[in-house]
Protein backbone atom coordinates (compact mmCIF):
# COMPACT_ATOMS: atom_id res chain seq x y z
CA UNK A 1 0.00 0.00 0.00
CA UNK A 2 1.32 3.45 -0.89
CA UNK A 3 1.94 5.79 2.02
CA UNK A 4 -0.20 8.48 0.42
CA UNK A 5 -2.80 7.70 -2.22
CA UNK A 6 -4.89 9.90 -4.42
CA UNK A 7 -7.28 9.24 -7.26
CA UNK A 8 -5.17 10.30 -10.26
CA UNK A 9 -8.20 11.45 -12.22
CA UNK A 10 -8.48 13.27 -14.48
CA UNK A 11 -11.57 14.96 -13.18
CA UNK A 12 -13.33 16.78 -15.99
CA UNK A 13 -15.97 19.18 -14.71
CA UNK A 14 -17.93 22.13 -16.10
CA UNK A 15 -17.42 25.64 -14.80
CA UNK A 16 -19.41 26.24 -11.66
CA UNK A 17 -19.33 22.62 -10.53
CA UNK A 18 -18.32 21.45 -7.08
CA UNK A 19 -15.55 18.90 -7.04
CA UNK A 20 -14.01 16.94 -4.19
CA UNK A 21 -10.68 15.17 -3.95
CA UNK A 22 -9.76 12.60 -1.36
CA UNK A 23 -6.39 11.48 -0.18
CA UNK A 24 -5.67 8.56 2.14
CA UNK A 25 -2.53 8.04 4.18
CA UNK A 26 -1.16 4.99 5.94
CA UNK A 27 0.88 6.41 8.80
CA UNK A 28 -1.43 7.09 11.73
CA UNK A 29 1.32 9.13 13.40
CA UNK A 30 1.29 11.73 10.61
CA UNK A 31 1.13 15.22 12.03
CA UNK A 32 0.75 17.79 9.29
CA UNK A 33 -1.25 17.83 6.10
CA UNK A 34 -1.23 20.07 3.07
CA UNK A 35 -2.71 20.55 -0.37
CA UNK A 36 -0.41 21.80 -3.13
CA UNK A 37 -1.37 22.91 -6.59
CA UNK A 38 0.79 22.27 -9.65
CA UNK A 39 0.06 23.93 -12.96
CA UNK A 40 1.18 22.29 -16.18
CA UNK A 41 4.97 22.48 -16.55
CA UNK A 42 5.30 24.48 -13.35
CA UNK A 43 6.49 23.74 -9.84
CA UNK A 44 4.09 22.80 -7.01
CA UNK A 45 2.89 25.62 -4.79
CA UNK A 46 1.15 25.48 -1.45
CA UNK A 47 -2.61 25.83 -1.76
CA UNK A 48 -3.52 25.37 1.88
CA UNK A 49 -2.60 23.58 5.06
CA UNK A 50 -5.19 21.22 6.52
CA UNK A 51 -6.06 21.71 10.15
CA UNK A 52 -7.77 19.25 12.47
CA UNK A 53 -10.93 21.33 12.68
CA UNK A 54 -11.11 21.80 8.93
CA UNK A 55 -10.44 25.09 7.23
CA UNK A 56 -11.77 27.18 4.42
CA UNK A 57 -10.18 29.67 2.07
CA UNK A 58 -12.70 31.23 -0.24
CA UNK A 59 -14.04 28.52 -2.53
CA UNK A 60 -11.68 25.90 -1.10
CA UNK A 61 -12.40 23.77 1.95
CA UNK A 62 -9.99 21.26 3.44
CA UNK A 63 -10.97 18.54 5.90
CA UNK A 64 -9.01 16.04 7.94
CA UNK A 65 -10.40 12.76 9.23
CA UNK A 66 -7.79 11.20 11.49
CA UNK A 67 -9.91 8.18 12.40
CA UNK A 68 -10.24 7.15 8.77
CA UNK A 69 -6.85 8.59 7.81
CA UNK A 70 -7.89 10.75 4.94
CA UNK A 71 -7.90 14.38 3.95
CA UNK A 72 -10.16 16.02 1.44
CA UNK A 73 -10.27 19.15 -0.67
CA UNK A 74 -13.55 20.62 -1.85
CA UNK A 75 -13.64 23.23 -4.58
CA UNK A 76 -16.91 25.08 -5.02
CA UNK A 77 -17.97 27.06 -8.08
CA UNK A 78 -15.06 25.80 -10.19
CA UNK A 79 -13.29 28.27 -12.44
CA UNK A 80 -11.33 27.58 -15.61
CA UNK A 81 -8.26 28.76 -13.72
CA UNK A 82 -8.67 25.95 -11.19
CA UNK A 83 -7.46 23.50 -13.85
CA UNK A 84 -4.28 21.99 -12.42
CA UNK A 85 -2.97 18.96 -10.60
CA UNK A 86 -3.68 18.90 -6.87
CA UNK A 87 -1.15 17.14 -4.67
CA UNK A 88 -1.83 16.04 -1.15
CA UNK A 89 1.13 16.06 1.20
CA UNK A 90 1.39 14.27 4.51
CA UNK A 91 4.11 14.87 7.06
CA UNK A 92 5.12 12.31 9.64
CA UNK A 93 8.85 12.08 9.99
CA UNK A 94 9.16 13.31 6.42
CA UNK A 95 7.02 14.95 3.78
CA UNK A 96 5.29 12.47 1.49
CA UNK A 97 3.53 13.54 -1.67
CA UNK A 98 0.61 11.82 -3.30
CA UNK A 99 0.83 11.28 -7.03
CA UNK A 100 -1.61 14.11 -7.67
CA UNK A 101 -5.16 14.44 -8.98
CA UNK A 102 -5.61 16.21 -12.29
CA UNK A 103 -8.52 18.61 -12.58
CA UNK A 104 -9.76 20.02 -15.86
CA UNK A 105 -12.51 22.63 -15.71
CA UNK A 106 -14.31 23.13 -19.01
CA UNK A 107 -16.42 26.11 -20.17
CA UNK B 1 9.52 36.58 -2.02
CA UNK B 2 11.21 33.28 -1.38
CA UNK B 3 13.21 32.25 -4.34
CA UNK B 4 14.48 28.83 -5.17
CA UNK B 5 16.43 28.75 -8.38
CA UNK B 6 17.79 25.85 -10.35
CA UNK B 7 20.74 26.08 -12.69
CA UNK B 8 19.01 24.78 -15.81
CA UNK B 9 15.43 24.39 -17.02
CA UNK B 10 16.35 21.82 -19.66
CA UNK B 11 19.36 19.56 -19.88
CA UNK B 12 20.33 16.84 -22.34
CA UNK B 13 23.13 14.47 -21.41
CA UNK B 14 24.53 11.21 -22.69
CA UNK B 15 24.59 7.90 -20.87
CA UNK B 16 27.61 7.69 -18.58
CA UNK B 17 28.12 11.43 -18.23
CA UNK B 18 28.48 13.03 -14.84
CA UNK B 19 25.66 15.50 -14.28
CA UNK B 20 25.43 18.33 -11.76
CA UNK B 21 22.12 19.95 -10.88
CA UNK B 22 22.44 23.06 -8.77
CA UNK B 23 19.85 24.62 -6.51
CA UNK B 24 20.06 27.90 -4.61
CA UNK B 25 17.61 29.39 -2.12
CA UNK B 26 17.75 32.90 -0.73
CA UNK B 27 15.65 32.60 2.43
CA UNK B 28 18.19 31.12 4.80
CA UNK B 29 16.19 27.88 5.08
CA UNK B 30 17.91 25.03 6.86
CA UNK B 31 16.19 22.25 4.96
CA UNK B 32 16.60 21.51 1.27
CA UNK B 33 15.30 18.67 -0.84
CA UNK B 34 15.75 17.01 -4.20
CA UNK B 35 12.80 15.24 -5.80
CA UNK B 36 12.15 13.67 -9.14
CA UNK B 37 8.72 13.73 -10.68
CA UNK B 38 7.51 11.15 -13.17
CA UNK B 39 4.05 10.63 -14.66
CA UNK B 40 1.90 8.42 -12.47
CA UNK B 41 4.52 8.29 -9.72
CA UNK B 42 4.27 11.78 -8.30
CA UNK B 43 7.14 13.39 -6.47
CA UNK B 44 9.68 11.02 -5.02
CA UNK B 45 12.32 12.17 -2.58
CA UNK B 46 15.89 11.49 -3.62
CA UNK B 47 17.85 13.19 -0.82
CA UNK B 48 17.37 15.94 1.67
CA UNK B 49 19.63 18.04 3.82
CA UNK B 50 18.76 19.61 7.16
CA UNK B 51 21.99 21.52 7.61
CA UNK B 52 25.27 22.31 5.93
CA UNK B 53 27.22 19.12 5.20
CA UNK B 54 24.32 17.02 6.51
CA UNK B 55 22.30 14.78 4.24
CA UNK B 56 19.74 12.03 4.49
CA UNK B 57 18.70 9.50 1.90
CA UNK B 58 15.21 9.73 0.62
CA UNK B 59 13.17 7.00 -1.01
CA UNK B 60 15.19 6.62 -4.20
CA UNK B 61 18.83 7.62 -3.57
CA UNK B 62 20.41 4.96 -5.80
CA UNK B 63 22.46 6.47 -8.60
CA UNK B 64 22.52 9.90 -6.98
CA UNK B 65 24.66 11.81 -4.52
CA UNK B 66 24.34 15.30 -3.05
CA UNK B 67 26.50 18.06 -1.71
CA UNK B 68 25.68 20.89 0.68
CA UNK B 69 28.77 22.96 1.37
CA UNK B 70 26.88 26.20 1.92
CA UNK B 71 23.49 26.76 3.48
CA UNK B 72 21.96 28.29 0.40
CA UNK B 73 23.16 25.72 -2.13
CA UNK B 74 22.23 22.06 -2.55
CA UNK B 75 23.63 20.10 -5.46
CA UNK B 76 22.42 16.83 -6.93
CA UNK B 77 25.00 14.71 -8.72
CA UNK B 78 24.43 11.87 -11.12
CA UNK B 79 27.78 10.11 -11.15
CA UNK B 80 27.06 8.19 -14.34
CA UNK B 81 23.80 9.18 -15.95
CA UNK B 82 21.49 6.45 -17.23
CA UNK B 83 18.41 6.62 -19.42
CA UNK B 84 16.14 5.73 -16.48
CA UNK B 85 17.21 8.97 -14.84
CA UNK B 86 15.41 10.95 -17.51
CA UNK B 87 12.93 12.93 -15.44
CA UNK B 88 11.86 16.27 -14.03
CA UNK B 89 14.03 17.21 -11.05
CA UNK B 90 12.64 19.58 -8.48
CA UNK B 91 14.54 21.24 -5.68
CA UNK B 92 12.73 22.59 -2.62
CA UNK B 93 13.50 24.38 0.61
CA UNK B 94 11.68 24.46 3.92
CA UNK B 95 12.18 26.57 7.00
CA UNK B 96 11.04 24.14 9.70
CA UNK B 97 10.77 20.41 9.27
CA UNK B 98 8.00 19.83 11.76
CA UNK B 99 5.38 22.50 11.49
CA UNK B 100 1.82 22.73 10.25
CA UNK B 101 2.37 26.29 9.21
CA UNK B 102 5.34 26.30 6.94
CA UNK B 103 5.46 25.97 3.24
CA UNK B 104 7.87 24.01 1.10
CA UNK B 105 9.07 26.26 -1.72
CA UNK B 106 10.02 24.69 -5.01
CA UNK B 107 12.35 25.69 -7.78
CA UNK B 108 11.09 25.75 -11.38
CA UNK B 109 12.47 22.30 -12.09
CA UNK B 110 15.08 20.87 -14.43
CA UNK B 111 13.89 18.57 -17.16
CA UNK B 112 16.77 16.17 -17.71
CA UNK B 113 16.93 13.90 -20.73
CA UNK B 114 19.59 11.19 -20.83
CA UNK B 115 20.22 9.78 -24.28
Amino acid sequence: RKEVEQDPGPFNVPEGATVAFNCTYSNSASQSFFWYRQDCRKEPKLLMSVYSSGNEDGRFTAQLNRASQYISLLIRDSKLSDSATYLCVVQGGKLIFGQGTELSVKP
Amino acid sequence: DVKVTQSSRYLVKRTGEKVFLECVQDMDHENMFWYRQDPGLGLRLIYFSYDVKMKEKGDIPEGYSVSREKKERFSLILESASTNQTSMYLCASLEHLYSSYNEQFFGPGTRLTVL
Side-chain angles (χ1 to χ4, degrees):
Chain A
R1 184 187 172 186
K2 288 182 182 175
E3 291 181 270
V4 177
E5 285 202 72
Q6 294 181 251
D7 183 339
F11 283 45
N12 296 303
V13 303
E15 265 187 297
T18 295
V19 61
F21 307 133
N22 286 328
C23 170
T24 58
Y25 61 94
S26 59
N27 182 1
S28 58
S30 298
Q31 298 155 341
S32 304
F33 308 88
F34 309 89
W35 284 101
Y36 278 70
R37 171 194 168 127
Q38 186 173 23
D39 293 307
C40 189
R41 301 187 189 282
K42 299 275 192 177
E43 71 273 22
K45 292 186 178 178
L46 180 68
L47 178 65
M48 56 199 302
S49 301
V50 187
Y51 303 130
S52 297
S53 55
N55 46 300
E56 193 172 303
D57 182 3
R59 298 180 292 108
F60 298 82
T61 301
Q63 297 277 354
L64 167 63
N65 185 318
R66 285 191 184 273
S68 301
Q69 293 182 207
Y70 77 84
I71 63 173
S72 63
L73 177 68
L74 183 77
I75 306 175
R76 291 181 299 278
D77 189 24
S78 309
K79 311 289 184 196
L80 297 176
S81 57
D82 292 335
S83 296
T85 296
Y86 291 83
L87 303 163
C88 94
V89 182
V90 175
Q91 182 169 18
K94 56 183 180 177
L95 286 157
I96 302 171
F97 284 76
Q99 74 269 40
T101 298
E102 186 183 341
L103 171 66
S104 180
V105 182
K106 306 290 187 187
Chain B
D1 257 10
V2 174
K3 268 208 165 166
V4 180
T5 56
Q6 294 183 227
S7 49
S8 306
R9 292 300 302 272
Y10 299 93
L11 211 51
V12 179
K13 295 291 182 180
R14 297 207 175 272
T15 300
E17 279 194 78
K18 191 168 185 175
V19 182
F20 292 87
L21 302 183
E22 303 284 339
C23 174
V24 177
Q25 51 97 2
D26 65 0
M27 286 303 291
D28 203 35
H29 286 176
E30 291 179 350
N31 307 285
M32 296 186 75
F33 305 78
W34 274 106
Y35 296 90
R36 64 178 281 177
Q37 186 173 31
D38 301 287
L41 297 176
L43 272 80
R44 292 181 291 166
L45 181 65
I46 304 171
Y47 268 97
F48 77 96
S49 169
Y50 51 90
D51 203 350
V52 174
K53 297 192 186 295
M54 306 305 287
K55 60 185 179 185
E56 290 279 342
K57 291 180 180 179
D59 299 314
I60 50 163
E62 298 78 19
Y64 303 95
S65 61
V66 290
S67 172
R68 186 132 180 238
E69 296 297 318
K70 292 184 178 181
K71 193 174 186 179
E72 67 271 18
R73 187 179 297 269
F74 192 34
S75 303
L76 180 69
I77 303 146
L78 287 68
E79 294 289 341
S80 177
S82 63
T83 54
N84 63 13
Q85 292 178 309
T86 291
S87 187
M88 169 68 86
Y89 290 87
L90 287 158
C91 174
S93 75
L94 181 71
E95 188 172 9
H96 301 298
L97 260 184
Y98 303 106
S99 169
S100 300
Y101 305 103
N102 70 170
E103 175 179 354
Q104 195 172 36
F105 292 90
F106 285 84
T110 296
R111 185 164 292 281
L112 172 68
T113 302
V114 182
L115 301 175

